[in-house]
Amino acid sequence: MNLKGKKVLVTGGSAGIGKATAKILVDAGAKVLITGRGEEKLNKVAEEIGAIPLQFDVSDYESLPKKAAEAVEALGGIDVLINNAGIGTFDLLGEITIDQFEKVFATNVFGLTLLTQEIVKHFIKQNTGHIINIASTAGTKGFARGTVYAASKFALRGMTQCWQAELRKNNIRVMLVNPSEVTTAFANPERIERPEEASKLRSVEIAHTIKSVLEMDERGFVPEVTVWATNPQ
């Protein structure tokens, strides 16, 4: 796909992987709309990278049909949905509460699905579209303290495979990207970006991966790609 002029919606686009992805796509000539919960930060980032801001929370289910429609209208159509917004909580078995499950799944699974349903209506109507779900290596192998977060990403991986089976007949590519540890503000209560580390991935590596799978000729697609740090320490 030639990204020039393509209309892209990136959830969770005001920081980390979402911001880096939005920037690399804008630089490639795409028209990009980013979402985020904090309006002030979202507007600042959008102005910085040349994107369109639209404040909303993916876990606010009732608002999603209206917000999806606003996003499509602001873009003047829709070609690509990048489901990047995600949260996590990391507690040992014995410390986990139902509230943690509900909060994480509300963003990573339930809201993501409901938003995708709204956007897929447009993709089916135009008989083309591209969905990229940002999961995690936590969705391929569990780890200590990962019960809630890994469960949500395992769910996303399974849903992605279901959508691939359902939507290929409509020329809709559904792709999964699994980053390993990336130095972002993820799970940081202060939402401050962590400093880069030589042994860990940066957001730009994941953004490059997303751009690469989108740019493949539309006769083919990458169902799933996992990105690891070369030499973690």
Side-chain angles (χ1 to χ4, degrees):
M1 176 174 66
N2 184 347
L3 290 168
K4 189 173 179 60
K6 290 297 185 290
K7 303 171 181 68
V8 183
L9 167 58
V10 181
T11 66
S14 61
I17 292 171
K19 177 182 176 181
T21 299
K23 183 179 187 306
I24 203 171
L25 296 181
V26 167
D27 291 345
K31 186 177 183 180
V32 180
L33 183 145
I34 59 174
T35 78
R37 290 175 292 181
E39 189 168 15
E40 183 178 348
K41 180 179 181 180
L42 179 69
N43 291 340
K44 181 179 179 181
V45 170
E47 183 176 2
E48 174 189 334
I49 66 176
I52 301 167
L54 181 62
Q55 187 274 331
F56 72 86
D57 184 346
V58 174
S59 68
D60 182 1
Y61 309 144
E62 292 186 359
S63 73
L64 294 180
K66 180 175 181 292
K67 290 295 185 178
E70 289 178 7
V72 173
E73 182 178 2
L75 285 167
I78 184 78
D79 298 299
V80 181
L81 169 63
I82 300 176
N83 285 314
N84 170 72
I87 61 173
T89 186
F90 304 92
D91 292 283
L92 291 169
L93 187 63
E95 303 170 352
I96 296 166
T97 67
I98 192 64
D99 288 343
Q100 291 169 338
F101 266 111
E102 289 176 343
K103 183 176 181 180
V104 171
F105 270 66
T107 294
N108 296 6
V109 179
F110 305 148
L112 181 153
T113 300
L114 295 173
L115 175 63
T116 302
Q117 285 191 150
E118 295 300 321
I119 299 301
V120 161
K121 294 174 185 176
H122 297 276
F123 289 165
I124 291 174
K125 186 175 181 180
Q126 64 198 25
N127 199 42
T128 185
H130 313 267
I131 301 168
I132 293 187
N133 293 328
I134 308 302
S136 169
T137 52
T140 64
K141 182 177 174 57
F143 59 97
R145 293 185 178 271
T147 299
V148 176
Y149 181 68
S152 74
K153 294 304 185 179
F154 266 88
L156 180 55
R157 191 180 188 208
M159 294 192 310
T160 300
Q161 293 173 5
C162 294
W163 300 348
Q164 288 166 351
E166 293 174 11
L167 297 173
R168 285 179 73 182
K169 68 180 183 297
N170 301 108
N171 295 312
I172 298 170
R173 303 193 298 176
V174 186
M175 298 162 276
L176 187 74
V177 177
N178 298 317
S180 59
E181 191 171 358
V182 181
T183 51
T184 69
F186 179 75
N188 185 340
E190 287 77 34
R191 302 302 297 162
I192 298 172
E193 298 277 337
R194 295 179 174 82
E196 292 183 7
E197 298 181 37
S199 61
K200 294 180 181 178
L201 295 171
R202 301 167 299 174
S203 295
V204 68
E205 274 80 58
I206 310 307
H208 173 75
T209 302
I210 293 167
K211 179 175 180 283
S212 296
V213 298
L214 283 172
E215 287 183 320
M216 176 179 283
D217 187 274
E218 292 182 39
R219 74 187 69 200
F221 79 109
V222 179
E224 181 172 353
V225 59
T226 300
V227 186
W228 291 95
T230 302
N231 186 21
Q233 297 174 6

